[in-house]
Amino acid sequence: MQDLLEGFYGLIQAGQSWSEALGTIRAINPAMAVTGASADTLASSMTVAAQAFKFDLADVKVATLVLDQMTQAGVEGNAELEDLSSIFARVGNNAKTAGLSTSQTLAFIERL
């Protein structure tokens, strides 16, 4: 429970509204069990992806889809889910400018 609260507070500190943070944390809660990652790590990854690709994280379906894509990329590639937030922070905006989608960006990161 404390881990979820820390993730929620991290989302609020990153500039998400209450509804965005609540939607994101609803997607993060089951992902924590699957990935073993902390809520704060997952929240950081989601926030960076949302900023780069303009996702509406208040929509639980969108947040879940993005998190599922990141989890799958982490499982199949070299970059662990915990590392995606820092990697996305460096390449996300440039990938978006280059016309890459989120899936394409994740695939690119995993192939590096």
Side-chain angles (χ1 to χ4, degrees):
M1 178 71 168
Q2 184 63 32
D3 194 22
L4 283 174
L5 283 174
E6 288 175 14
F8 183 79
Y9 295 145
L11 292 166
I12 297 293
Q13 289 174 345
Q16 287 191 358
S17 70
W18 184 270
S19 64
E20 286 175 327
L22 189 58
T24 305
I25 219 61
R26 284 184 178 143
I28 286 173
N29 189 20
M32 288 172 53
V34 172
T35 64
S38 72
D40 197 41
T41 297
L42 296 172
S44 177
S45 297
M46 296 293 291
T47 301
V48 171
Q51 289 172 351
F53 289 94
K54 309 299 182 219
F55 294 124
D56 179 13
L57 294 179
D59 185 343
V60 178
K61 290 180 183 179
V62 170
T64 302
L65 176 64
V66 172
L67 190 54
D68 286 346
Q69 290 174 341
M70 290 182 147
T71 302
Q72 187 64 33
V75 168
E76 291 184 1
N78 296 322
E80 297 294 326
L81 185 60
E82 291 83 6
D83 300 323
L84 284 178
S85 61
S86 63
I87 296 169
F88 244 91
R90 289 179 282 189
V91 302
N93 288 325
N94 290 335
K96 176 69 175 173
T97 301
L100 296 176
S101 69
T102 308
S103 299
Q104 291 169 326
T105 303
L106 288 169
F108 175 72
I109 291 169
E110 294 309 321
R111 295 297 173 227
L112 292 176

